[in-house]
C-alpha cells in the first residue's frame, strides 16, 4: 500500500476503532463524560488518570504511525500491513494498541470517578484476548510465517517487558533469544 494511502487508512481506522472505544463508548456509559461522585484521594486519582490518558493516546498515535510507515498498511484487517511491525511499542508487547486503549479507559475512569469505565476496560480486554488468540494470531502466523513465530517467542502478548530481547543467529542456522 502506498504510504499516503496507509496514512489515510490508519487515520480513518483510528477514528472508527479507538475513537469509538475511548470516545463514544465512555461518553455513552457516563452520560456524556459526566463526573461521578467525589471519592477519597480524587486529586491523586485525577492526576494518575490524566497521565494514563495522555500516555495511552501518545502510544496509540505511535502505533498507528508505525503501521502506516513501517508496515505500509493499517491496523485493520481490511487493509493489513505488508510488513510485520516489531519496533517501537511492539518491541515490548505484541498488543500495545490494546494496552494503550485499556490505559485510556482506566484513566478516564479515574478522571471521571466512574467505575463503569473500569468494567468496560476489563470487558474490552477480555473480548480482545479471545479475538487475538482465535483470529489475529493464527492470521499473522499464516501471513508472516517464521518471522511471526520468532517475534511471538521474543515478545509477550500482553505484559510489556522492560528490556527487549534480540534474536541472535546460531551456527546451526536457527535463532536463539538473548537480552538486548
Amino acid at each position: 500500500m502506498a504510504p499516503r494511502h496507509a496514512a489515510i487508512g490508519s487515520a480513518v481506522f483510528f477514528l472508527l476503532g479507538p475513537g469509538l472505544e475511548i470516545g463514544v463508548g465512555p461518553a455513552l456509559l457516563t452520560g456524556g463524560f459526566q463526573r461521578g461522585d467525589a471519592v477519597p484521594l480524587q486529586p491523586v486519582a485525577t492526576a494518575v488518570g490524566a497521565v494514563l490518558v495522555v500516555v495511552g493516546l501518545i502510544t496509540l498515535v505511535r502505533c498507528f504511525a508505525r503501521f502506516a510507515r513501517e508496515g505500509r498498511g493499517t491496523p485493520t484487517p481490511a487493509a493489513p500491513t505488508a510488513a510485520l511491525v516489531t519496533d517501537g511499542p511492539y518491541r515490548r508487547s505484541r498488543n500495545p494498541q490494546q494496552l494503550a486503549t485499556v490505559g485510556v479507559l482506566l484513566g478516564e475512569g479515574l478522571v471521571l470517578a466512574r467505575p463503569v469505565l473500569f468494567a468496560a476496560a476489563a470487558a474490552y480486554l477480555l473480548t480482545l484476548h479471545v479475538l487475538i488468540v482465535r483470529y489475529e494470531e493464527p492470521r499473522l502466523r499464516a501471513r508472516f510465517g517464521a518471522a511471526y513465530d520468532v517475534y511471538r517467542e521474543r515478545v509477550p502478548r500482553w505484559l510489556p517487558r522492560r528490556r527487549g530481547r534480540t534474536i541472535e543467529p546460531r551456527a546451526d542456522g536457527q535463532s536463539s533469544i538473548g537480552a538486548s
Side-chain angles (χ1 to χ4, degrees):
M1 178 179 294
R4 181 175 164 214
H5 292 121
I8 292 168
S10 288
V12 169
F13 185 68
F14 188 90
L15 295 174
L16 296 176
L20 292 174
E21 297 156 354
I22 61 178
V24 175
L28 292 173
L29 290 173
T30 63
F33 292 106
Q34 296 295 314
R35 282 185 66 93
D37 294 331
V39 295
L41 302 175
Q42 185 60 39
V44 172
T46 299
V48 169
V51 168
L52 285 172
V53 168
V54 169
V55 168
L57 289 173
I58 289 169
T59 301
L60 281 168
V61 169
R62 288 181 63 213
C63 289
F64 275 72
R66 281 201 180 272
F67 265 64
R69 269 191 325 241
E70 295 168 23
R72 298 179 314 280
T74 73
T76 176
T81 61
L84 183 63
V85 178
T86 61
D87 271 338
Y90 293 92
R91 280 189 61 148
R92 307 281 185 248
S93 167
R94 294 195 312 261
N95 297 291
Q97 290 177 49
Q98 293 82 357
L99 291 175
T101 301
V102 167
V104 172
L105 286 170
L106 294 174
E108 290 172 331
L110 289 169
V111 167
L112 299 173
R114 299 299 294 254
V116 68
L117 295 178
F118 305 143
Y124 173 82
L125 191 58
L126 179 62
T127 301
L128 279 178
H129 179 74
V130 171
L131 288 172
I132 285 166
V133 169
R134 292 192 177 178
Y135 174 73
E136 182 178 70
E137 288 180 349
R139 185 179 60 82
L140 290 170
R141 170 60 178 94
R143 188 151 186 208
F144 296 111
Y148 183 70
D149 288 339
V150 171
Y151 175 63
R152 200 173 74 206
E153 182 181 337
R154 181 182 64 139
V155 179
R157 179 184 293 134
W158 292 115
L159 297 178
R161 289 196 178 108
R162 275 186 66 92
R163 295 179 52 104
R165 296 185 341 170
T166 58
I167 301 167
E168 300 168 4
R170 298 188 322 211
D172 62 6
Q174 299 295 315
S175 296
S176 64
I177 306 298
S180 64

